[in-house]
């Protein structure tokens, strides 16, 4: 019989929540705004007729249920996870009572910003400093806006809804720009005050913004200004303004290390020396070591030395300075060897690493960072060897240069193999649970991006290692939602033709593909 009432045209979720729906197809904007999956609308026949035959209604609903089941099965098949042979297992379905499922899959009854801080703290659950800062002040200010930026990007990356069109993407970007503007204005206001740079929440905010750039994948894009590098420079400026006083307390030290690691990573990527204050800061840490800090300190010391060598090498490579490179070659190589020997001596004095899950995870990450520094520095060193083999007045004999180059290549291959061998352990947290069920895996995955990126894109790594690293990056980018892992290229700088390959090929050390290295040196997507 005809329906004489006024049935609602709203989607199922808006009707259930008793809010007004904008009736957008295929998904309403209110559901998208709240981060919920729009369940769709009622059949038009249900809005016009009420069938007086109950059996007909049951048959029609049964047909609909069967069709929905088939559709769901097809969707599940199309969204099957990529299985990486050897270190990624099939992931189970998310638990119904998990925090991530509540936030991203449950019926949302409040704006998504209400979940920003809990989700961010879930991602960085191991960061006691961040939890303490948010506990002290999370109601307003830069911390709150930066949480909105990070969480909004995380939700969009992980969900990857098929119904998001250009207009929705544009709306999301405008929303992020609004929060970014509020964050930067709040930071500027704080820094304009006498003690603003010493506030823990300001340091935490800029650090979160740097991590957001990795999550959004903006580091490798061609843009007038590299925003990640701006955030890294901002972190250094804040650390410099804070001075060394905070390094004498455990709270200050927990705030220092994440920030300083970002500063060192920037120096390693762009081939510059670490800040002038590095020796003073690390010296204070060395004299007042806290429990579990020594490995982080020794690797920081190693990276500081490596960055100084890289800066010296790149000064000659950028300008094609054959004479200067010839004069400084032995000194640069000796500095590189001394840094490696100092770190090896430290490892020999330590007992075997703990086998507990938490300790192993931390050690694997730190080991990967150290191996990444080995790959980066030795790649530049072999390029310097290549260039000098074409310079006849070089006092170092050609045969010695080839031996040195072979050593650098062997160091690259050994370190890339360590990173690949660590993958089963490093990727295990990502494979044993879904991302939505445990957002903590996001931070673990972010730590893997830079070492894997070096292995996948450095011209001198072995192809078998490249293939595995690329698979892992694709998984991290598509399944975990870290878009930086999907970056393909970055800014390039012209280097001398002679840096591509030595004058005489060393067949003992040369895989056939190394001699066709690109003419330009890539900044590896960062």
């Amino acid at each position: 019989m005809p329906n004489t009432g006024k049935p609602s045209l709203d989607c199922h979720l808006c009707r259930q929540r008793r809010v007004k729906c904008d009736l957008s197809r295929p998904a309403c904007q209110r559901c998208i705004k709240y981060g919920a999956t729009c369940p769709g609308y009622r059949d038009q026949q249900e809005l016009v007729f009420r069938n007086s035959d109950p059996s007909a209604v049951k048959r029609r609903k049964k047909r609909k249920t069967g069709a929905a089941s088939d559709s769901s099965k097809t969707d599940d098949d199309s969204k099957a996870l990529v299985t990486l042979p050897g270190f990624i297992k099939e992931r189970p379905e998310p638990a119904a009572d998990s925090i991530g499922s509540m936030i991203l899959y449950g019926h949302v009854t409040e704006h998504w910003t209400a979940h920003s801080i809990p989700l961010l703290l879930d991602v960085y659950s191991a960061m006691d400093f961040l939890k303490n800062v948010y506990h002290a002040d999370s109601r307003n200010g830069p911390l709150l806006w930066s949480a909105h930026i990070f969480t909004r990007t995380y939700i969009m990356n992980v969900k990857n809804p098929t119904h998001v069109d250009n207009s929705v993407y544009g709306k999301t970007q405008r929303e992020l720009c609004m929060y970014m503007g509020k964050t930067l204005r709040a930071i500027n206001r704080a820094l304009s005050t006498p003690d603003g740079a010493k506030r823990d929440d300001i340091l935490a905010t800029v650090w979160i913004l740097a991590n957001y750039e990795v999550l959004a994948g903006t580091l490798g894009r061609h843009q007038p200004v590299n925003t990640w590098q701006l955030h890294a420079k901002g972190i250094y400026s804040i650390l410099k303004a804070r001075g060394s006083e905070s390094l004498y307390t455990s709270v200050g030290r927990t705030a220092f290390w994440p920030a300083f690691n970002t500063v060192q990573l920037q120096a390693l990527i762009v081939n510059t020396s670490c800040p002038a204050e590095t020796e003073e800061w690390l010296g204070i840490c060395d004299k007042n070591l806290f429990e579990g800090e020594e490995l982080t300190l020794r690797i920081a010391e190693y990276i500081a030395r490596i960055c100084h060598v890289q800066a010296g090498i790149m000064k000659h490579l950028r300008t094609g300075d054959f004479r200067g490179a010839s004069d400084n070659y032995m000194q640069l190589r000796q500095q590189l060897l001394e840094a490696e020997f100092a770190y090896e001596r430290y490892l020999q004095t330590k007992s075997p690493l703990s086998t507990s899950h938490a300790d192993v995870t931390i050690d694997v990450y730190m080991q990967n960072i150290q191996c990444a520094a080995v790959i980066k520095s030795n790649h530049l060193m072999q390029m310097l060897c290549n260039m000098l083999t074409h310079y006849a007045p070089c006092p170092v004999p050609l045969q010695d240069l080839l031996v040195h180059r072979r050593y650098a290549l062997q160091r690259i291959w050994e370190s890339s193999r360590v990173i690949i061998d660590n993958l089963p352990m490093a990727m295990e947290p990502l494979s044993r649970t879904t991302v939505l069920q445990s957002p903590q895996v996001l931070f673990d995955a972010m730590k893997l991006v830079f070492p894997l990126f070096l292995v996948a894109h450095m011209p001198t790594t072995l192809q078998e290692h490249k293939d595995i690293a690329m698979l892992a990056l694709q998984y991290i980018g598509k399944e975990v939602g870290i878009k930086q892992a999907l970056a393909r290229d970055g800014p390039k700088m012209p280097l001398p033709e002679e840096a591509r390959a030595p004058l005489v090929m060393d067949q003992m050390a040369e895989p056939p593909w190394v001699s066709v290295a690109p003419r330009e040196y890539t900044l590896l997507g960062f």
Side-chain angles (χ1 to χ4, degrees):
M1 59 181 288
N3 187 348
T4 57
K6 293 182 179 180
S8 172
L9 300 176
D10 297 349
C11 74
H12 296 296
L13 185 55
C14 288
R15 287 192 299 108
Q16 180 180 352
R17 296 177 56 242
R18 298 182 182 275
V19 295
K20 184 174 179 58
C21 180
D22 61 8
L23 306 180
S24 298
R25 305 280 180 162
C28 74
Q29 295 300 314
R30 185 179 291 274
C31 288
I32 295 174
K33 177 181 178 181
Y34 291 156
T37 302
C38 184
Y41 302 87
R42 291 191 290 181
D43 192 338
Q44 291 298 318
Q45 285 188 340
E46 291 185 3
L47 301 177
V48 179
F49 294 99
R50 290 198 184 110
N51 199 315
S52 60
D53 184 0
S55 60
V57 175
K58 290 182 180 180
R59 287 195 301 269
R60 179 160 55 83
K61 288 186 176 181
K62 185 177 181 180
R63 288 196 301 268
K64 280 184 143 185
T65 303
S69 177
D70 294 340
S71 174
S72 175
K73 183 178 180 180
T74 303
D75 291 343
D76 291 342
D77 293 340
S78 64
K79 295 179 181 179
L81 300 178
V82 179
T83 301
L84 302 182
F87 55 86
I88 287 293
K89 303 174 184 177
E90 195 68 27
R91 301 192 306 196
E93 290 297 319
D97 59 346
S98 64
I99 295 178
S101 298
M102 251 188 339
I103 294 176
L104 298 177
Y105 274 131
H107 289 171
V108 179
T109 59
E110 53 189 341
H111 197 270
W112 63 267
T113 54
H115 300 279
S116 293
I117 292 176
L119 183 57
L120 180 68
L121 294 182
D122 202 8
V123 170
Y124 296 110
S125 59
M127 303 287 291
D128 292 333
F129 163 68
L130 203 59
K131 289 188 288 188
N132 294 338
V133 173
Y134 269 102
H135 180 72
D137 181 13
S138 62
R139 289 173 293 180
N140 50 42
L143 273 174
L144 180 63
W145 304 125
S146 61
H148 292 344
I149 293 171
F150 188 92
T151 302
R152 182 63 164 155
T153 305
Y154 169 69
I155 292 175
M156 291 298 295
N157 286 2
V158 173
K159 290 276 290 181
N160 284 325
T162 56
H163 58 261
V164 171
D165 54 21
N166 292 333
S167 62
V168 175
Y169 176 80
K171 181 179 179 181
T172 301
Q173 293 304 308
R174 289 191 296 271
E175 197 171 19
L176 290 175
C177 288
M178 176 190 69
Y179 289 130
M180 180 66 75
K182 291 184 177 182
T183 305
L184 296 179
R185 285 193 293 271
I187 292 174
N188 289 333
R189 285 195 299 269
L191 294 179
S192 64
T193 61
D195 295 330
K198 297 183 179 181
R199 286 170 45 180
D200 289 345
D201 63 323
I202 298 299
L203 179 61
T205 298
V206 182
W207 184 81
I208 291 170
L209 292 181
N211 283 267
Y212 151 75
E213 300 294 346
V214 178
L215 188 64
T218 61
L219 279 65
R221 297 176 187 172
H222 297 282
Q223 48 192 350
V225 178
N226 189 313
T227 49
W228 181 82
Q229 291 191 29
L230 286 180
H231 296 321
K233 292 178 181 178
I235 291 174
Y236 164 60
S237 298
I238 294 174
L239 288 178
K240 184 177 179 181
R242 288 165 67 95
S244 58
E245 295 180 2
S246 61
L247 296 179
Y248 291 94
T249 65
S250 59
V251 175
R253 199 73 67 82
T254 57
F256 168 77
W257 281 121
F260 184 69
N261 287 342
T262 302
V263 174
Q264 279 202 313
L265 186 59
Q266 184 202 24
L268 188 64
I269 290 171
V270 300
N271 306 305
T272 60
S273 296
C274 289
E277 297 82 5
T278 297
E279 185 175 355
E280 175 191 357
W281 292 343
L282 297 184
I284 293 174
C285 295
D286 193 11
K287 293 178 182 178
N288 303 274
L289 274 176
F290 291 100
E291 183 179 357
E293 210 178 36
E294 188 173 9
L295 178 62
T296 302
L297 172 64
R298 301 309 169 200
I299 292 180
E301 292 174 340
Y302 172 76
I303 293 177
R305 293 183 176 186
I306 290 300
C307 289
H308 180 72
V309 175
Q310 288 189 168
I313 295 175
M314 285 304 296
K315 181 179 67 173
H316 300 304
L317 291 179
R318 286 193 183 101
T319 60
D321 181 13
F322 285 84
R323 181 175 179 178
S326 175
D327 294 341
N328 297 329
Y329 170 74
M330 291 304 298
Q331 180 183 4
L332 290 170
R333 186 171 188 272
Q334 185 63 28
Q335 290 174 351
L336 179 62
L337 293 177
E338 288 176 356
E340 294 184 351
F341 291 157
Y343 182 70
E344 290 297 328
R345 283 196 299 270
Y346 158 71
L347 291 181
Q348 291 173 2
T349 63
K350 297 291 105 179
S351 59
L353 298 178
S354 171
T355 57
S356 67
H357 180 76
D359 290 341
V360 169
T361 302
I362 295 174
D363 289 334
V364 164
Y365 164 66
M366 298 305 299
Q367 187 180 41
N368 284 348
I369 290 296
Q370 191 270 336
C371 288
V374 172
I375 294 173
K376 189 84 163 33
S377 58
N378 280 276
H379 176 72
L380 293 182
M381 181 57 69
Q382 68 88 28
M383 293 181 75
L384 188 63
C385 291
N386 290 344
M387 190 173 79
L388 290 180
T389 61
H390 297 271
Y391 184 60
C394 180
V396 183
L398 175 63
Q399 190 59 37
D400 289 352
L401 288 173
L402 293 177
V403 171
H404 296 169
R405 179 176 182 272
R406 186 187 312 162
Y407 173 82
L409 290 175
Q410 292 293 335
R411 292 290 292 149
I412 292 171
W413 300 338
E414 291 170 0
S415 298
S416 63
R417 182 172 61 249
V418 171
I419 294 175
I420 296 302
D421 289 345
N422 283 339
L423 272 179
M425 186 179 301
M427 299 287 284
E428 192 268 339
L430 279 66
S431 62
R432 60 186 166 87
T433 181
T434 65
V435 177
L436 300 179
Q437 181 181 357
S438 180
Q440 293 97 327
V441 301
L442 181 70
F443 191 33
D444 296 333
M446 291 178 74
K447 300 173 187 176
L448 296 173
V449 173
F450 177 62
L452 288 174
F453 212 107
L454 285 177
V455 175
H457 297 281
M458 190 66 75
T460 44
T461 53
L462 296 174
Q463 188 62 46
E464 59 188 88
H465 295 161
K466 289 177 182 289
D467 294 339
I468 297 175
M470 186 60 72
L471 280 175
L473 287 171
Q474 291 291 318
Y475 184 92
I476 291 172
K478 294 180 179 179
E479 300 295 341
V480 186
I482 302 174
K483 299 307 180 186
Q484 192 60 46
L486 303 177
R488 292 291 182 178
D489 210 347
K492 296 177 180 175
M493 61 185 71
L495 295 180
E497 180 75 20
E498 293 83 357
R500 296 178 60 193
L503 179 64
V504 178
M505 299 304 297
D506 184 1
Q507 299 298 330
M508 294 181 62
E510 206 67 52
W513 47 267
V514 171
S515 59
V516 293
R519 183 173 304 179
E520 295 177 315
Y521 179 70
T522 303
L523 289 181
L524 304 172
F526 290 84

